[in-house]
């Protein structure tokens, strides 16, 4: 594992990838290109429904405890080592 740490570097903030962009790319490369390269995106029935269903995940004031586990929503994260930033729906 030493080789891994020797080859890691800290990214500058302007080089960070957005977690949402990584998610879009993993889900559908065409969707990613439309959103992040062409900057063309239109809402439709499915995206509006998805936004409505996603509202609870975007609320950082909602926390749950199940046994010894605490669930937090809308948690901001960033890593200069990985070069990423974004907001996790639930952790």
């Amino acid at each position: 594992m030493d080789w891994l740490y020797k080859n890691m570097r800290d990214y500058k903030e302007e080089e960070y990838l957005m977690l949402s962009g990584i998610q879009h790319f993993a889900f559908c490369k065409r969707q990613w290109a439309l959103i992040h390269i062409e900057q063309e995106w239109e809402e439709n029935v499915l995206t509006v429904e998805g936004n409505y269903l996603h509202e609870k995940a975007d609320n950082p004031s909602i926390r749950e405890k199940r046994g010894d586990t605490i669930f937090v929503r809308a948690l901001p994260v960033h890593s200069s080592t990985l070069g990423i930033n974004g907001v996790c729906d639930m952790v």
Side-chain angles (χ1 to χ4, degrees), residues 21-58:
I22 295 169
Q23 182 274 327
H24 289 140
F25 189 84
F27 177 73
C28 175
K29 290 172 183 62
R30 185 173 188 284
Q31 179 193 52
W32 172 81
L34 285 170
I35 295 170
H36 297 278
I37 295 176
E38 302 295 330
Q39 297 182 353
E40 293 185 19
W41 180 254
E42 291 185 24
E43 295 288 336
N44 61 34
V45 173
L46 296 174
T47 58
V48 171
E49 182 180 302
N51 288 336
Y52 174 75
L53 295 172
H54 198 255
E55 282 181 14
K56 188 176 177 183
D58 289 335

Side-chain angles (χ1 to χ4, degrees), residues 1-12 15 79-84:
M1 288 300 264
D2 288 338
W3 62 270
L4 177 66
Y5 294 112
K6 288 178 186 175
N7 292 313
M8 293 179 92
R9 69 178 181 101
D10 282 345
Y11 290 84
K12 297 176 187 164
E15 298 176 307
S79 170
S80 60
T81 303
L82 297 174
I84 59 171

Side-chain angles (χ1 to χ4, degrees), residues 70-89:
I70 298 173
F71 294 88
V72 179
R73 290 176 170 76
L75 181 69
V77 296
H78 74 275
S79 170
S80 60
T81 303
L82 297 174
I84 59 171
N85 70 350
V87 178
C88 294
D89 289 345

